[in-house]
Amino acid sequence: MNKFIYIFFISFLIYSCTSNTILKKPDDLIPEDKMVDLLTDLFLADNAKNTKNLQLERQVNYYPLVFEKYNIDSTQFKESNFYYTSRVDEYDVLLLKVNERLSALNKKFEELKRQEDSLVDVDKIMKNKVIDSINNIKKRTVKSIKEDIRER
């Protein structure tokens, strides 16, 4: 009898913990492709909080700008996000697409950064050559002045 109570209790607990909630699709659901774009920009906006902007400010909330860009409000986003998160498989596909886009953006950024660094290196080399040329001219000028003084 004691085992039966434990088994009943455990099965009741397991059954009550599983969610069979099927959410109704919101009337103003954000389409999947737009949601991928939106989530990509929201991830970028979230990470931009710790970076100084052009006015040298940090901790700027860029979410309103992202919502404005896509002509949505935060309520519409929350409802759509809640709907997609209730469908784990679909949301997983969305997040994979977002991850692919962020990876592609990161790859482009790294390439641009590498090009910029190589230009900086070329610039340093050119500056050093110019400085060396100026120093050589100064040395020759000083030598020629010294020789002129000796000859007199």
Side-chain angles (χ1 to χ4, degrees):
M1 183 70 176
N2 215 3
K3 290 181 183 179
F4 179 72
I5 292 174
Y6 287 129
I7 292 173
F8 177 75
F9 180 72
I10 290 173
S11 63
F12 177 74
L13 191 69
I14 291 172
Y15 178 75
S16 65
C17 291
T18 59
S19 175
N20 293 330
T21 307
I22 298 174
L23 293 178
K24 183 183 162 211
K25 195 178 212 179
D27 295 332
D28 57 352
L29 180 70
I30 300 170
E32 285 186 24
D33 56 339
K34 189 174 180 180
M35 190 69 172
V36 170
D37 296 338
L38 178 64
L39 286 173
T40 303
D41 286 345
L42 286 175
F43 277 114
L44 291 172
D46 188 49
N47 286 321
K49 283 183 181 179
N50 297 323
T51 305
K52 288 183 181 178
N53 61 12
L54 294 175
Q55 289 78 28
L56 302 176
E57 299 171 334
R58 288 182 193 248
Q59 300 298 325
V60 178
N61 184 9
Y62 294 106
Y63 289 163
L65 297 174
V66 174
F67 292 145
E68 183 180 319
K69 176 182 176 181
Y70 292 99
N71 295 321
I72 62 170
D73 60 357
S74 59
T75 306
Q76 183 183 2
F77 170 71
K78 286 180 185 177
E79 289 174 356
S80 296
N81 197 41
F82 188 66
Y83 174 77
Y84 285 122
T85 55
S86 70
R87 301 174 181 277
V88 177
D89 294 336
E90 290 178 27
Y91 199 66
D92 202 24
V93 171
L94 284 176
L95 290 179
L96 284 173
K97 289 178 183 178
V98 169
N99 190 30
E100 288 173 4
R101 288 195 180 172
L102 290 173
S103 295
L105 286 172
N106 189 37
K107 192 179 285 186
K108 285 181 184 178
F109 173 76
E110 292 295 328
E111 178 64 28
L112 288 173
K113 187 69 173 163
R114 193 167 8 101
Q115 287 176 357
E116 182 181 300
D117 289 345
S118 66
L119 290 175
V120 168
D121 290 342
V122 168
D123 191 38
K124 285 181 183 177
I125 291 169
M126 294 304 293
K127 283 181 182 177
N128 287 337
K129 285 184 178 183
V130 168
I131 290 171
D132 288 343
S133 296
I134 291 171
N135 287 337
N136 286 337
I137 291 170
K138 285 179 182 178
K139 286 178 185 175
R140 281 189 246 143
T141 307
V142 168
K143 282 182 182 178
S144 66
I145 291 173
K146 285 182 180 178
E147 288 176 0
D148 284 346
I149 291 175
R150 284 186 192 154
E151 291 177 0
R152 290 185 187 178

mmCIF file of all heavy atoms in Angstrom, residues 16-51:
data_model
loop_
_atom_site.group_PDB
_atom_site.id
_atom_site.type_symbol
_atom_site.label_atom_id
_atom_site.label_comp_id
_atom_site.label_asym_id
_atom_site.label_seq_id
_atom_site.Cartn_x
_atom_site.Cartn_y
_atom_site.Cartn_z
ATOM 1 N N SER A 16 1.589 16.826 -13.210
ATOM 2 C CA SER A 16 1.257 18.224 -12.937
ATOM 3 C C SER A 16 2.371 19.175 -13.366
ATOM 4 O O SER A 16 2.139 20.341 -13.614
ATOM 5 C CB SER A 16 0.943 18.432 -11.460
ATOM 6 O OG SER A 16 2.090 18.186 -10.674
ATOM 7 N N CYS A 17 3.604 18.664 -13.463
ATOM 8 C CA CYS A 17 4.723 19.517 -13.848
ATOM 9 C C CYS A 17 4.857 19.674 -15.353
ATOM 10 O O CYS A 17 5.501 20.604 -15.818
ATOM 11 C CB CYS A 17 6.037 18.973 -13.280
ATOM 12 S SG CYS A 17 6.132 19.135 -11.496
ATOM 13 N N THR A 18 4.285 18.769 -16.102
ATOM 14 C CA THR A 18 4.393 18.899 -17.552
ATOM 15 C C THR A 18 3.393 19.938 -18.024
ATOM 16 O O THR A 18 2.286 20.044 -17.518
ATOM 17 C CB THR A 18 4.110 17.558 -18.252
ATOM 18 O OG1 THR A 18 2.803 17.128 -17.899
ATOM 19 C CG2 THR A 18 5.149 16.532 -17.895
ATOM 20 N N SER A 19 3.821 20.703 -19.001
ATOM 21 C CA SER A 19 2.979 21.780 -19.501
ATOM 22 C C SER A 19 2.379 21.370 -20.832
ATOM 23 O O SER A 19 3.090 21.080 -21.782
ATOM 24 C CB SER A 19 3.814 23.042 -19.669
ATOM 25 O OG SER A 19 3.026 24.032 -20.255
ATOM 26 N N ASN A 20 1.094 21.353 -20.885
ATOM 27 C CA ASN A 20 0.388 21.067 -22.125
ATOM 28 C C ASN A 20 -0.282 22.332 -22.638
ATOM 29 O O ASN A 20 -1.269 22.276 -23.340
ATOM 30 C CB ASN A 20 -0.667 19.972 -21.900
ATOM 31 C CG ASN A 20 -0.021 18.650 -21.585
ATOM 32 O OD1 ASN A 20 1.083 18.392 -22.039
ATOM 33 N ND2 ASN A 20 -0.711 17.825 -20.827
ATOM 34 N N THR A 21 0.259 23.462 -22.258
ATOM 35 C CA THR A 21 -0.335 24.730 -22.624
ATOM 36 C C THR A 21 -0.100 25.008 -24.098
ATOM 37 O O THR A 21 1.023 24.998 -24.571
ATOM 38 C CB THR A 21 0.284 25.875 -21.796
ATOM 39 O OG1 THR A 21 0.184 25.540 -20.428
ATOM 40 C CG2 THR A 21 -0.402 27.170 -22.074
ATOM 41 N N ILE A 22 -1.176 25.238 -24.787
ATOM 42 C CA ILE A 22 -1.089 25.623 -26.189
ATOM 43 C C ILE A 22 -1.580 27.063 -26.258
ATOM 44 O O ILE A 22 -2.743 27.345 -26.003
ATOM 45 C CB ILE A 22 -1.943 24.712 -27.088
ATOM 46 C CG1 ILE A 22 -1.430 23.282 -26.996
ATOM 47 C CG2 ILE A 22 -1.931 25.225 -28.518
ATOM 48 C CD1 ILE A 22 -2.279 22.279 -27.727
ATOM 49 N N LEU A 23 -0.653 27.940 -26.572
ATOM 50 C CA LEU A 23 -0.998 29.352 -26.602
ATOM 51 C C LEU A 23 -1.656 29.711 -27.920
ATOM 52 O O LEU A 23 -1.289 29.214 -28.979
ATOM 53 C CB LEU A 23 0.252 30.207 -26.415
ATOM 54 C CG LEU A 23 0.917 30.112 -25.056
ATOM 55 C CD1 LEU A 23 2.173 30.966 -25.032
ATOM 56 C CD2 LEU A 23 -0.023 30.563 -23.963
ATOM 57 N N LYS A 24 -2.606 30.596 -27.805
ATOM 58 C CA LYS A 24 -3.278 31.110 -28.992
ATOM 59 C C LYS A 24 -2.348 32.099 -29.679
ATOM 60 O O LYS A 24 -1.660 32.883 -29.029
ATOM 61 C CB LYS A 24 -4.569 31.800 -28.572
ATOM 62 C CG LYS A 24 -5.377 32.307 -29.708
ATOM 63 C CD LYS A 24 -6.606 33.043 -29.203
ATOM 64 C CE LYS A 24 -7.134 33.888 -30.335
ATOM 65 N NZ LYS A 24 -7.778 35.090 -29.845
ATOM 66 N N LYS A 25 -2.328 32.041 -30.981
ATOM 67 C CA LYS A 25 -1.485 32.932 -31.765
ATOM 68 C C LYS A 25 -1.993 34.366 -31.601
ATOM 69 O O LYS A 25 -3.176 34.634 -31.811
ATOM 70 C CB LYS A 25 -1.548 32.524 -33.233
ATOM 71 C CG LYS A 25 -0.496 33.085 -34.105
ATOM 72 C CD LYS A 25 -0.669 32.542 -35.511
ATOM 73 C CE LYS A 25 0.655 32.399 -36.182
ATOM 74 N NZ LYS A 25 0.528 31.850 -37.531
ATOM 75 N N PRO A 26 -1.095 35.283 -31.197
ATOM 76 C CA PRO A 26 -1.536 36.683 -31.039
ATOM 77 C C PRO A 26 -1.955 37.289 -32.380
ATOM 78 O O PRO A 26 -1.475 36.895 -33.443
ATOM 79 C CB PRO A 26 -0.303 37.408 -30.496
ATOM 80 C CG PRO A 26 0.658 36.357 -30.093
ATOM 81 C CD PRO A 26 0.292 35.106 -30.803
ATOM 82 N N ASP A 27 -2.872 38.240 -32.311
ATOM 83 C CA ASP A 27 -3.354 38.888 -33.531
ATOM 84 C C ASP A 27 -2.245 39.658 -34.241
ATOM 85 O O ASP A 27 -2.208 39.711 -35.467
ATOM 86 C CB ASP A 27 -4.509 39.847 -33.211
ATOM 87 C CG ASP A 27 -5.732 39.098 -32.691
ATOM 88 O OD1 ASP A 27 -5.903 37.908 -33.051
ATOM 89 O OD2 ASP A 27 -6.510 39.702 -31.930
ATOM 90 N N ASP A 28 -1.372 40.267 -33.458
ATOM 91 C CA ASP A 28 -0.294 41.076 -34.039
ATOM 92 C C ASP A 28 1.057 40.372 -33.905
ATOM 93 O O ASP A 28 2.058 40.997 -33.591
ATOM 94 C CB ASP A 28 -0.257 42.455 -33.392
ATOM 95 C CG ASP A 28 -0.099 42.372 -31.881
ATOM 96 O OD1 ASP A 28 -0.172 41.261 -31.319
ATOM 97 O OD2 ASP A 28 0.122 43.424 -31.258
ATOM 98 N N LEU A 29 1.063 39.068 -34.198
ATOM 99 C CA LEU A 29 2.294 38.281 -34.107
ATOM 100 C C LEU A 29 3.321 38.776 -35.122
ATOM 101 O O LEU A 29 3.000 39.029 -36.279
ATOM 102 C CB LEU A 29 1.996 36.799 -34.373
ATOM 103 C CG LEU A 29 3.191 35.856 -34.302
ATOM 104 C CD1 LEU A 29 3.664 35.711 -32.860
ATOM 105 C CD2 LEU A 29 2.835 34.497 -34.877
ATOM 106 N N ILE A 30 4.541 38.934 -34.648
ATOM 107 C CA ILE A 30 5.636 39.350 -35.522
ATOM 108 C C ILE A 30 6.031 38.139 -36.364
ATOM 109 O O ILE A 30 6.281 37.066 -35.819
ATOM 110 C CB ILE A 30 6.824 39.855 -34.694
ATOM 111 C CG1 ILE A 30 6.406 41.045 -33.838
ATOM 112 C CG2 ILE A 30 7.999 40.215 -35.592
ATOM 113 C CD1 ILE A 30 7.435 41.470 -32.810
ATOM 114 N N PRO A 31 6.110 38.290 -37.695
ATOM 115 C CA PRO A 31 6.504 37.148 -38.533
ATOM 116 C C PRO A 31 7.907 36.651 -38.185
ATOM 117 O O PRO A 31 8.732 37.398 -37.656
ATOM 118 C CB PRO A 31 6.477 37.719 -39.956
ATOM 119 C CG PRO A 31 5.723 38.993 -39.869
ATOM 120 C CD PRO A 31 5.818 39.483 -38.474
ATOM 121 N N GLU A 32 8.158 35.396 -38.501
ATOM 122 C CA GLU A 32 9.423 34.765 -38.109
ATOM 123 C C GLU A 32 10.641 35.494 -38.667
ATOM 124 O O GLU A 32 11.614 35.705 -37.952
ATOM 125 C CB GLU A 32 9.450 33.300 -38.547
ATOM 126 C CG GLU A 32 8.602 32.409 -37.707
ATOM 127 C CD GLU A 32 8.763 30.945 -38.066
ATOM 128 O OE1 GLU A 32 9.803 30.562 -38.625
ATOM 129 O OE2 GLU A 32 7.832 30.177 -37.768
ATOM 130 N N ASP A 33 10.613 35.868 -39.955
ATOM 131 C CA ASP A 33 11.782 36.532 -40.539
ATOM 132 C C ASP A 33 12.044 37.885 -39.891
ATOM 133 O O ASP A 33 13.188 38.255 -39.630
ATOM 134 C CB ASP A 33 11.633 36.667 -42.051
ATOM 135 C CG ASP A 33 10.356 37.398 -42.457
ATOM 136 O OD1 ASP A 33 9.420 37.452 -41.641
ATOM 137 O OD2 ASP A 33 10.305 37.918 -43.594
ATOM 138 N N LYS A 34 10.968 38.613 -39.589
ATOM 139 C CA LYS A 34 11.116 39.903 -38.910
ATOM 140 C C LYS A 34 11.573 39.689 -37.463
ATOM 141 O O LYS A 34 12.348 40.482 -36.927
ATOM 142 C CB LYS A 34 9.793 40.659 -38.952
ATOM 143 C CG LYS A 34 9.877 42.097 -38.482
ATOM 144 C CD LYS A 34 8.550 42.807 -38.688
ATOM 145 C CE LYS A 34 8.618 44.237 -38.227
ATOM 146 N NZ LYS A 34 7.330 44.931 -38.413
ATOM 147 N N MET A 35 11.119 38.602 -36.862
ATOM 148 C CA MET A 35 11.510 38.289 -35.486
ATOM 149 C C MET A 35 13.007 37.972 -35.423
ATOM 150 O O MET A 35 13.688 38.351 -34.463
ATOM 151 C CB MET A 35 10.678 37.112 -34.957
ATOM 152 C CG MET A 35 10.823 36.864 -33.489
ATOM 153 S SD MET A 35 10.072 38.184 -32.541
ATOM 154 C CE MET A 35 10.167 37.513 -30.916
ATOM 155 N N VAL A 36 13.523 37.291 -36.426
ATOM 156 C CA VAL A 36 14.963 36.998 -36.473
ATOM 157 C C VAL A 36 15.746 38.300 -36.563
ATOM 158 O O VAL A 36 16.727 38.508 -35.833
ATOM 159 C CB VAL A 36 15.292 36.060 -37.661
ATOM 160 C CG1 VAL A 36 16.784 35.943 -37.868
ATOM 161 C CG2 VAL A 36 14.689 34.683 -37.436
ATOM 162 N N ASP A 37 15.307 39.203 -37.444
ATOM 163 C CA ASP A 37 15.964 40.511 -37.562
ATOM 164 C C ASP A 37 15.898 41.271 -36.244
ATOM 165 O O ASP A 37 16.894 41.851 -35.796
ATOM 166 C CB ASP A 37 15.313 41.353 -38.665
ATOM 167 C CG ASP A 37 15.466 40.758 -40.046
ATOM 168 O OD1 ASP A 37 16.396 39.946 -40.244
ATOM 169 O OD2 ASP A 37 14.656 41.094 -40.927
ATOM 170 N N LEU A 38 14.723 41.264 -35.648
ATOM 171 C CA LEU A 38 14.504 41.982 -34.394
ATOM 172 C C LEU A 38 15.372 41.430 -33.266
ATOM 173 O O LEU A 38 16.029 42.189 -32.538
ATOM 174 C CB LEU A 38 13.024 41.913 -34.014
ATOM 175 C CG LEU A 38 12.600 42.564 -32.708
ATOM 176 C CD1 LEU A 38 12.840 44.067 -32.761
ATOM 177 C CD2 LEU A 38 11.151 42.283 -32.429
ATOM 178 N N LEU A 39 15.403 40.120 -33.126
ATOM 179 C CA LEU A 39 16.217 39.506 -32.074
ATOM 180 C C LEU A 39 17.703 39.761 -32.297
ATOM 181 O O LEU A 39 18.451 40.005 -31.347
ATOM 182 C CB LEU A 39 15.946 38.000 -31.998
ATOM 183 C CG LEU A 39 14.619 37.596 -31.379
ATOM 184 C CD1 LEU A 39 14.388 36.097 -31.528
ATOM 185 C CD2 LEU A 39 14.552 37.994 -29.912
ATOM 186 N N THR A 40 18.130 39.756 -33.566
ATOM 187 C CA THR A 40 19.532 40.058 -33.869
ATOM 188 C C THR A 40 19.873 41.468 -33.414
ATOM 189 O O THR A 40 20.882 41.684 -32.732
ATOM 190 C CB THR A 40 19.796 39.911 -35.380
ATOM 191 O OG1 THR A 40 19.447 38.582 -35.787
ATOM 192 C CG2 THR A 40 21.248 40.181 -35.710
ATOM 193 N N ASP A 41 19.020 42.422 -33.764
ATOM 194 C CA ASP A 41 19.271 43.804 -33.361
ATOM 195 C C ASP A 41 19.170 43.984 -31.846
ATOM 196 O O ASP A 41 19.900 44.780 -31.265
ATOM 197 C CB ASP A 41 18.307 44.752 -34.073
ATOM 198 C CG ASP A 41 18.666 44.948 -35.529
ATOM 199 O OD1 ASP A 41 19.808 44.596 -35.920
ATOM 200 O OD2 ASP A 41 17.832 45.470 -36.294
ATOM 201 N N LEU A 42 18.271 43.248 -31.200
ATOM 202 C CA LEU A 42 18.163 43.349 -29.742
ATOM 203 C C LEU A 42 19.406 42.792 -29.047
ATOM 204 O O LEU A 42 19.861 43.352 -28.047
ATOM 205 C CB LEU A 42 16.905 42.642 -29.240
ATOM 206 C CG LEU A 42 15.599 43.379 -29.509
ATOM 207 C CD1 LEU A 42 14.407 42.526 -29.081
ATOM 208 C CD2 LEU A 42 15.574 44.721 -28.793
ATOM 209 N N PHE A 43 19.960 41.713 -29.573
ATOM 210 C CA PHE A 43 21.206 41.187 -29.007
ATOM 211 C C PHE A 43 22.338 42.196 -29.181
ATOM 212 O O PHE A 43 23.143 42.406 -28.275
ATOM 213 C CB PHE A 43 21.589 39.849 -29.651
ATOM 214 C CG PHE A 43 20.893 38.661 -29.068
ATOM 215 C CD1 PHE A 43 19.996 37.917 -29.819
ATOM 216 C CD2 PHE A 43 21.133 38.263 -27.761
ATOM 217 C CE1 PHE A 43 19.352 36.822 -29.284
ATOM 218 C CE2 PHE A 43 20.497 37.169 -27.219
ATOM 219 C CZ PHE A 43 19.604 36.442 -27.975
ATOM 220 N N LEU A 44 22.400 42.821 -30.347
ATOM 221 C CA LEU A 44 23.422 43.842 -30.585
ATOM 222 C C LEU A 44 23.217 45.044 -29.665
ATOM 223 O O LEU A 44 24.179 45.584 -29.108
ATOM 224 C CB LEU A 44 23.399 44.285 -32.051
ATOM 225 C CG LEU A 44 23.870 43.253 -33.061
ATOM 226 C CD1 LEU A 44 23.611 43.745 -34.480
ATOM 227 C CD2 LEU A 44 25.334 42.919 -32.868
ATOM 228 N N ALA A 45 21.967 45.449 -29.497
ATOM 229 C CA ALA A 45 21.667 46.588 -28.622
ATOM 230 C C ALA A 45 22.013 46.270 -27.172
ATOM 231 O O ALA A 45 22.522 47.123 -26.440
ATOM 232 C CB ALA A 45 20.188 46.961 -28.740
ATOM 233 N N ASP A 46 21.755 45.044 -26.775
ATOM 234 C CA ASP A 46 22.068 44.643 -25.404
ATOM 235 C C ASP A 46 23.578 44.668 -25.162
ATOM 236 O O ASP A 46 24.047 45.125 -24.121
ATOM 237 C CB ASP A 46 21.508 43.249 -25.126
ATOM 238 C CG ASP A 46 21.638 42.862 -23.668
ATOM 239 O OD1 ASP A 46 21.248 43.671 -22.807
ATOM 240 O OD2 ASP A 46 22.149 41.759 -23.396
ATOM 241 N N ASN A 47 24.341 44.202 -26.119
ATOM 242 C CA ASN A 47 25.792 44.191 -25.971
ATOM 243 C C ASN A 47 26.405 45.575 -26.142
ATOM 244 O O ASN A 47 27.520 45.813 -25.701
ATOM 245 C CB ASN A 47 26.429 43.209 -26.949
ATOM 246 C CG ASN A 47 26.211 41.774 -26.521
ATOM 247 O OD1 ASN A 47 26.278 41.460 -25.350
ATOM 248 N ND2 ASN A 47 25.919 40.915 -27.474
ATOM 249 N N ALA A 48 25.679 46.481 -26.786
ATOM 250 C CA ALA A 48 26.196 47.836 -26.980
ATOM 251 C C ALA A 48 26.100 48.667 -25.704
ATOM 252 O O ALA A 48 26.699 49.731 -25.621
ATOM 253 C CB ALA A 48 25.434 48.526 -28.097
ATOM 254 N N LYS A 49 25.376 48.186 -24.709
ATOM 255 C CA LYS A 49 25.237 48.943 -23.456
ATOM 256 C C LYS A 49 26.581 49.206 -22.800
ATOM 257 O O LYS A 49 26.784 50.246 -22.187
ATOM 258 C CB LYS A 49 24.347 48.192 -22.462
ATOM 259 C CG LYS A 49 22.898 48.277 -22.755
ATOM 260 C CD LYS A 49 22.117 47.574 -21.673
ATOM 261 C CE LYS A 49 20.645 47.626 -21.941
ATOM 262 N NZ LYS A 49 19.890 46.933 -20.899
ATOM 263 N N ASN A 50 27.502 48.277 -22.902
ATOM 264 C CA ASN A 50 28.787 48.407 -22.223
ATOM 265 C C ASN A 50 29.859 49.052 -23.082
ATOM 266 O O ASN A 50 31.013 49.118 -22.688
ATOM 267 C CB ASN A 50 29.269 47.031 -21.746
ATOM 268 C CG ASN A 50 28.323 46.446 -20.725
ATOM 269 O OD1 ASN A 50 27.775 47.156 -19.903
ATOM 270 N ND2 ASN A 50 28.104 45.151 -20.794
ATOM 271 N N THR A 51 29.485 49.509 -24.261
ATOM 272 C CA THR A 51 30.428 50.140 -25.161
ATOM 273 C C THR A 51 30.134 51.634 -25.209
ATOM 274 O O THR A 51 28.973 52.040 -25.245
ATOM 275 C CB THR A 51 30.285 49.551 -26.581
ATOM 276 O OG1 THR A 51 30.421 48.136 -26.494
ATOM 277 C CG2 THR A 51 31.325 50.100 -27.518
#
